Amino acid sequence: MKKVFKVFSMLFVLLTVLGVGILSAQTPQPAPQKKPLTLTNILVALGSQKIQDMDEKNRILIEAVIDRGVTFAVTPEIEDELKRAGASDILINTIKMKTQVSQPVNPQPTPAPQPQTDYATFEKRADSYVQRGRYELAIPLYDQAITLSPRTSSLYVKRGFALFNTQDYDLALADYNKAIELNPKDASAFFYRAQLHEKSGNLEEALEDYQKAVELDSNNEQAKNALKNLTARLPRPTPSPPQNQVASTGTTPPVQPPVQPSVTQPKVEPKNEPKSEPKNEVAKNQPKDEPKKVEPKPEPKPEPKNEVAKNQPKDEPKKVEPKPEPKPEPKPEPKPEPKNEVAKNQPSNPKPQVTEEQINSIIDSDLSDVIIGVGQITSSDIVRLVRPVYPQVAQKAGIGGQVKVEVTWDEQGKVISAKAVEGHSLLRGPCEDAAKRSEFKPRTIEGKPVKARGFIVFNFSR
């Protein structure tokens, strides 16, 4: 009996173990959680060269942000960095919405703020150098202040003023443009940019900026005086007086005709009377022969038309009515239906197209294959800038203006490529050569240098 009991107990243990194993195998295991995206992931993906189309990269990142979420909040500085890297407004708004949803669900302890040097200390030191006329010493201090506070528009105005006095007009113009972009109501930025345009010979642009500066700050006497002096220098339009004279001479001739017909009427009447009599005589002679031919022609024509019209509706409406009715009805009905079906299927197609492989391929790209976008190049991005040569042919022809050059540099700051995308053809070559011989500051991601791409604007005064 003991042996039988042991056998049954062993079988019971084996059955229980097998049952537990089967149940554990059938129970679904939770899917592995996907890691949310960091700011570095998004910047690397935007700079990845595995996909050249920036719209396609934005579309993939939008799907990835919706699916995975993000680990950071969008500050004005981060938003500016994302825009310069090529992020679309839809992607930025998606990140903001995902941040607002994910913050209360996964609260994370905020690190204690670390003490850092205030940008005002660098600004004050730079201002003191500007007051003493040491602009070359003030520029690097403004660079440090802008690094700490990149959204302060007044810092770009002050650095642009220092660059203007060191005759770095291209970089000064870039700083003034950036200041106006950050604060479109900054009258000082328009005023100093107007001075730069006037110095470069772009008088029309200078006039517009002076007018804007006076409009924003009516107490700016310097802007008012500069506006008066510039308007006095510009030639006034003269086509208005001859147009008025021509209009006045054009109105006089139509006044004379009513006077002339009153005088010529008695002379014309006797002349017309004898001429009208033979016309009437001919008219009397013509209807004798013609009306017989003319009258029967119009009379039988309308009559058969009416008779045919009466006969046609009896036979034709039966043929005409069924023909248009079946043709338009079947044609529009089948056409909108497939279009609607395709429209219903279209929005569902883009979602499955974005796979995890596509997301991981650009997020986990090797940094050697990444080119970070920096937007417009400013003095804080430049180590050494070579000025382009103004061709004599262009000078003699009065050719000038701005030339926009797109520049790409490597991890050491050496220029890889430079291509002019805007500007006159005679000025593009010298600008490309100057950009290739320039040197820029390397960009880094998590302390590692990467390639970068931006554009610089050269200004030629006529």
Side-chain angles (χ1 to χ4, degrees):
M1 291 295 293
K2 291 181 179 180
K3 292 181 179 180
V4 175
F5 180 74
K6 287 181 180 180
V7 172
F8 278 109
S9 62
M10 293 290 290
L11 290 173
F12 179 76
V13 172
L14 290 174
L15 291 173
T16 54
V17 171
L18 290 172
V20 172
I22 293 170
L23 291 173
S24 62
Q26 291 180 352
T27 54
Q29 296 181 357
Q33 292 183 353
K34 300 174 183 178
K35 292 182 180 180
L37 301 179
T38 63
L39 178 61
T40 301
N41 293 142
I42 295 177
L43 292 176
V44 169
L46 290 172
S48 176
Q49 298 302 299
K50 293 181 179 179
I51 299 177
Q52 297 294 331
D53 188 1
M54 186 60 70
D55 294 335
E56 180 67 12
K57 288 189 282 189
N58 276 278
R59 187 180 70 85
I60 294 173
L61 285 175
I62 290 170
E63 295 294 333
V65 170
I66 294 173
D67 185 32
R68 299 186 181 186
V70 293
T71 61
F72 61 95
V74 179
T75 61
E77 291 78 11
I78 291 177
E79 183 175 356
D80 183 59
E81 186 175 5
L82 288 172
K83 286 182 178 180
R84 295 178 70 181
S88 63
D89 294 337
I90 300 175
L91 175 58
I92 294 173
N93 293 331
T94 304
I95 296 172
K96 290 179 180 179
M97 294 173 61
K98 201 67 178 177
T99 303
Q100 294 174 358
V101 174
S102 61
Q103 278 181 350
V105 177
N106 298 321
Q108 296 180 358
T110 56
Q114 297 180 358
Q116 60 180 6
T117 307
D118 189 8
Y119 76 90
T121 57
F122 295 102
E123 183 183 11
K124 290 178 182 179
R125 290 173 58 190
D127 292 344
S128 64
Y129 282 121
V130 170
Q131 292 175 359
R132 288 180 285 174
R134 304 296 301 274
Y135 302 106
E136 69 281 358
L137 298 178
I139 292 172
L141 294 174
Y142 284 132
D143 293 342
Q144 295 179 358
I146 289 174
T147 303
L148 295 174
S149 181
R151 303 290 295 180
T152 304
S153 61
S154 60
L155 294 176
Y156 292 94
V157 176
K158 291 181 178 180
R159 188 175 69 178
F161 179 77
L163 291 168
F164 176 81
N165 285 277
T166 56
Q167 297 183 353
D168 290 334
Y169 300 130
D170 299 323
L171 298 179
L173 179 61
D175 276 350
Y176 292 148
N177 293 338
K178 184 64 176 180
I180 293 172
E181 177 186 347
L182 294 173
N183 185 10
K185 296 184 179 180
D186 191 348
S188 61
F190 285 99
F191 173 70
Y192 288 120
R193 192 174 72 173
Q195 287 186 331
L196 190 150
H197 284 313
E198 187 175 4
K199 180 74 174 178
S200 302
N202 301 323
L203 300 183
E204 294 180 358
E205 291 83 352
L207 181 64
E208 293 179 0
D209 283 346
Y210 279 135
Q211 292 173 347
K212 189 66 176 179
V214 173
E215 178 184 347
L216 294 173
D217 185 9
S218 58
N219 297 323
N220 192 338
E221 297 297 332
Q222 290 182 340
K224 290 181 179 179
N225 295 331
L227 180 60
K228 290 180 181 179
N229 296 332
L230 184 59
T231 51
R233 290 171 55 190
L234 291 174
R236 296 181 180 179
T238 55
S240 56
Q243 287 179 359
N244 294 332
Q245 291 176 1
V246 172
S248 62
T249 55
T251 55
T252 52
V255 179
Q256 295 176 358
V259 180
Q260 292 176 355
S262 62
V263 179
T264 56
Q265 280 177 0
K267 296 179 181 179
V268 174
E269 287 176 359
K271 291 179 181 178
N272 293 333
E273 287 175 358
K275 290 180 181 178
S276 60
E277 288 175 359
K279 289 181 181 178
N280 295 330
E281 292 176 358
V282 174
K284 290 177 182 179
N285 296 326
Q286 287 178 352
K288 292 179 181 179
D289 299 329
E290 292 178 356
K292 295 179 181 178
K293 297 179 181 179
V294 174
E295 287 176 1
K297 287 180 181 179
E299 288 177 0
K301 286 180 181 178
E303 287 175 0
K305 287 180 181 177
N306 296 330
E307 290 175 359
V308 173
K310 291 177 182 179
N311 296 327
Q312 285 178 350
K314 292 179 181 180
D315 298 331
E316 291 179 357
K318 295 179 181 180
K319 297 179 182 179
V320 175
E321 288 177 0
K323 287 180 181 179
E325 288 178 0
K327 287 180 180 179
E329 288 178 359
K331 287 180 180 179
E333 288 177 359
K335 287 180 180 178
E337 287 177 1
K339 289 180 181 178
N340 294 331
E341 291 176 0
V342 174
K344 292 178 181 178
N345 297 327
Q346 281 179 353
S348 61
N349 290 334
K351 291 184 179 179
Q353 288 178 357
V354 179
T355 61
E356 290 296 324
E357 295 179 357
Q358 289 178 322
I359 296 173
N360 294 329
S361 65
I362 60 175
I363 289 176
D364 300 331
S365 297
D366 189 11
L367 292 182
S368 60
D369 298 330
V370 173
I371 301 178
I372 297 298
V374 300
Q376 185 170 4
I377 298 171
T378 61
S379 61
S380 57
D381 301 317
I382 296 173
V383 176
R384 181 175 60 88
L385 182 64
V386 178
R387 299 291 175 186
V389 179
Y390 201 162
Q392 293 183 357
V393 177
Q395 292 183 20
K396 293 179 180 180
I399 298 171
Q402 296 180 350
V403 179
K404 182 179 178 180
V405 182
E406 190 178 83
V407 185
T408 304
W409 60 92
D410 60 12
E411 296 85 350
Q412 288 75 36
K414 304 296 182 181
V415 176
I416 301 173
S417 65
K419 183 179 180 181
V421 293
E422 293 180 8
H424 198 277
S425 58
L426 291 177
L427 305 176
R428 292 193 176 194
C431 292
E432 290 177 351
D433 295 337
K436 290 177 181 178
R437 290 184 286 118
S438 301
E439 187 177 354
F440 302 90
K441 292 181 181 179
R443 306 289 290 190
T444 59
I445 294 180
E446 293 184 346
K448 298 179 180 179
V450 295
K451 302 181 185 71
R453 178 182 293 134
F455 66 90
I456 189 169
V457 178
F458 294 103
N459 191 21
F460 292 87
S461 58
R462 302 173 188 175

